[in-house]
Amino acid sequence: MRISDLSRQAGVSIATIKFYLREGLLPPGTATGRNQAVYGENHLRRLELIRAFTQIGQLELTTVRQLLGAIEDSRQPIVQLYELVDQACSTPEPGKGASAEHLRGAKSDVDTFLDDLGWRVGTVTPARERLTAVVAALRRLGCECGVEFFADYAAAAETQAVKELDLLSADGAEADRAAAVVRSVLLDAAMAALRRLAQEHHVATRFGLVPDGAARRSA
Amino acid sequence: MRISDLSRQAGVSIATIKFYLREGLLPPGTATGRNQAVYGENHLRRLELIRAFTQIGQLELTTVRQLLGAIEDSRQPIVQLYELVDQACSTPEPGKGASAEHLRGAKSDVDTFLDDLGWRVGTVTPARERLTAVVAALRRLGCECGVEFFADYAAAAETQAVKELDLLSADGAEADRAAAVVRSVLLDAAMAALRRLAQEHHVATRFGLVPDGAARRSA
């Protein structure tokens, strides 16, 4: 298909496609003449991946480039793919500025919590650091909610991790690898959305508000 | 305390504090002389809030300003505070570029899912839009995982929403309002971290890797 068709089908502007081509995020099309090229299904799929990562996952292009590279490189074992996602979705220095004392206390609580769950996880992964930073910040801000607050989520996360892995085939095909990364990144947004929706429902219930109506419209 | 003490205690540089003062994110201190002012506990607490929102919540300063204003304005009912958090944490146009057909199918599935849960939620909230965008994107990318995939998380989100509301006192004091917003924003990061940790554990288990060791170090 021509670039204009690609643009229409992917819902991405021609200017953006040209930018991705220049940046190497999208492989070049097949040249059909001077300044003309045709693009295939792989370009369409790649554009949809990029859009999902940037638009829903809110990832930066340098991170997207890394993820795409790792998806394509089938020598990278799937465990490394998940590690990369963890890094890609992490925030730099989540605990920066927190006092050593707060961080130590939070770290010890997180360690105990994860040990009790029986999870075998690295001692220095970005995810563990982020969880520690959240616990430390909540404590520092006087928002009492201990790690046990997370138990239900941990159980749900575990159930879903297993379900997600069940969806992968053993041969680690590229489509599978892409799907693993896509789910891992996008489901964060889904989970956050579910939290808000549950909150909305229960706030409305508790404060006796009319559903989907008065409170919102009078805002 | 002086600005240097505030900086040290909050773990935020003097330059950043001055920037927040200029931007009105931090109220001015009490003047004690020409170009000198002292700051109180409220400044320290405010700085910690700003840091939690920007560093862990990854929110932009304009959003942080809105949230801080809403926390202070006790006339705003708590339901509006949660709505604001939903907007603050939402991504602009999450479904942009998706075909109308994909979005329609996803919307219908999300509607049914939320109806089945019995949640009374607005028909046009950012959270619902985000969830719809994720479902549409997964489908478009051929990553089969239906809405029922989210059932465990929905249950956990509901349990936690109730627990979070139980922590609030009825009078809607400012500290309470701040805590509600802080938890709502920060716990997203904690939940995402738990997902990664559960993945790490189950990937290691399934692929028979040594915990916290070989795979990571050989990376």
Side-chain angles (χ1 to χ4, degrees):
Chain A
M1 66 190 105
R2 294 187 315 176
I3 197 166
S4 53
D5 300 318
L6 182 64
S7 162
R8 208 185 48 252
Q9 280 199 47
V12 175
S13 73
I14 292 179
T16 302
I17 292 177
K18 287 185 170 167
F19 172 73
Y20 291 159
L21 285 165
R22 275 198 309 275
E23 292 286 311
L25 281 155
L26 205 60
T30 309
T32 54
R34 206 160 47 92
N35 289 327
Q36 283 242 321
V38 289
Y39 300 88
E41 283 302 312
N42 59 326
H43 291 92
L44 183 56
R45 191 177 163 77
R46 174 66 75 106
L47 276 177
E48 287 177 340
L49 269 180
I50 298 172
R51 206 181 51 199
F53 289 149
T54 54
Q55 204 165 297
I56 301 179
Q58 297 277 293
L59 299 181
E60 297 190 0
L61 282 184
T62 46
T63 308
V64 172
R65 191 199 310 271
Q66 283 186 309
L67 288 178
L68 293 173
I71 288 169
E72 278 176 351
D73 180 3
S74 58
R75 289 163 310 174
Q76 276 202 40
I78 201 103
V79 59
Q80 276 179 28
L81 210 53
Y82 279 113
E83 277 178 25
L84 194 64
V85 171
D86 187 11
Q87 278 157 31
C89 297
S90 71
T91 49
E93 305 186 273
K96 192 184 160 197
S99 77
E101 183 198 346
H102 271 116
L103 278 179
R104 235 187 341 263
K107 192 184 167 330
S108 149
D109 287 358
V110 166
D111 287 350
T112 308
F113 179 69
L114 295 175
D115 282 350
D116 289 351
L117 287 169
W119 290 1
R120 302 183 304 171
V121 285
T123 48
V124 287
T125 64
R128 191 192 274 262
E129 234 182 289
R130 234 175 333 155
L131 188 56
T132 304
V134 171
V135 173
L138 289 173
R139 191 161 299 169
R140 206 167 53 233
L141 288 161
C143 307
E144 292 319 326
C145 81
V147 200
E148 67 284 358
F149 211 78
F150 305 148
D152 293 316
Y153 270 102
E158 193 154 9
T159 309
Q160 198 177 61
V162 173
K163 279 194 201 167
E164 280 187 54
L165 288 173
D166 284 344
L167 293 171
L168 298 181
S169 61
D171 62 359
E174 188 177 322
D176 249 18
R177 299 165 62 82
V181 176
V182 164
R183 280 191 210 100
S184 202
V185 172
L186 263 57
L187 292 183
D188 280 353
M191 301 315 144
L194 282 174
R195 287 191 60 231
R196 306 274 172 260
L197 290 163
Q199 272 172 352
E200 187 185 342
H201 168 64
H202 281 282
V203 168
T205 305
R206 190 161 302 206
F207 295 94
L209 295 163
V210 180
D212 187 26
R216 179 172 311 277
R217 273 196 288 274
S218 73
Chain B
M1 66 190 105
R2 292 186 315 176
I3 196 166
S4 53
D5 300 317
L6 182 64
S7 162
R8 208 187 49 252
Q9 280 200 46
V12 175
S13 73
I14 293 180
T16 302
I17 293 177
K18 286 185 171 166
F19 172 74
Y20 291 160
L21 285 165
R22 277 199 307 275
E23 292 287 310
L25 281 155
L26 205 59
T30 311
T32 55
R34 203 160 49 91
N35 288 328
Q36 283 242 320
V38 289
Y39 300 89
E41 283 302 313
N42 59 326
H43 291 93
L44 183 56
R45 194 179 160 75
R46 175 65 75 109
L47 276 177
E48 286 176 338
L49 268 181
I50 297 173
R51 207 182 49 200
F53 289 149
T54 53
Q55 204 166 296
I56 301 179
Q58 298 276 293
L59 299 180
E60 298 190 0
L61 282 184
T62 46
T63 308
V64 172
R65 193 199 309 273
Q66 282 185 312
L67 288 178
L68 292 173
I71 288 169
E72 278 176 350
D73 180 4
S74 59
R75 289 163 310 173
Q76 276 202 39
I78 200 104
V79 60
Q80 277 179 28
L81 209 52
Y82 278 112
E83 277 177 24
L84 194 64
V85 171
D86 188 13
Q87 280 157 29
C89 296
S90 71
T91 49
E93 306 186 88
K96 192 182 160 198
S99 77
E101 183 197 346
H102 270 117
L103 277 178
R104 238 191 334 266
K107 193 182 167 328
S108 149
D109 287 357
V110 166
D111 288 351
T112 307
F113 179 68
L114 295 175
D115 281 351
D116 288 351
L117 286 169
W119 290 1
R120 302 185 302 172
V121 285
T123 48
V124 286
T125 64
R128 189 191 277 261
E129 232 181 291
R130 236 174 333 154
L131 187 56
T132 304
V134 172
V135 173
L138 289 173
R139 190 161 300 170
R140 204 167 54 234
L141 288 162
C143 307
E144 292 319 329
C145 82
V147 200
E148 67 284 359
F149 211 77
F150 305 148
D152 293 315
Y153 270 101
E158 192 154 10
T159 309
Q160 198 177 60
V162 173
K163 279 194 199 166
E164 279 188 56
L165 288 173
D166 284 344
L167 292 170
L168 299 180
S169 61
D171 62 0
E174 189 178 320
D176 249 19
R177 299 166 61 84
V181 175
V182 165
R183 280 191 211 101
S184 201
V185 172
L186 263 57
L187 293 184
D188 280 352
M191 300 315 144
L194 281 174
R195 287 190 61 232
R196 305 275 171 259
L197 290 163
Q199 272 171 353
E200 187 186 343
H201 168 62
H202 281 283
V203 167
T205 305
R206 189 160 302 207
F207 296 93
L209 295 163
V210 181
D212 184 29
R216 180 172 310 280
R217 272 194 291 271
S218 72

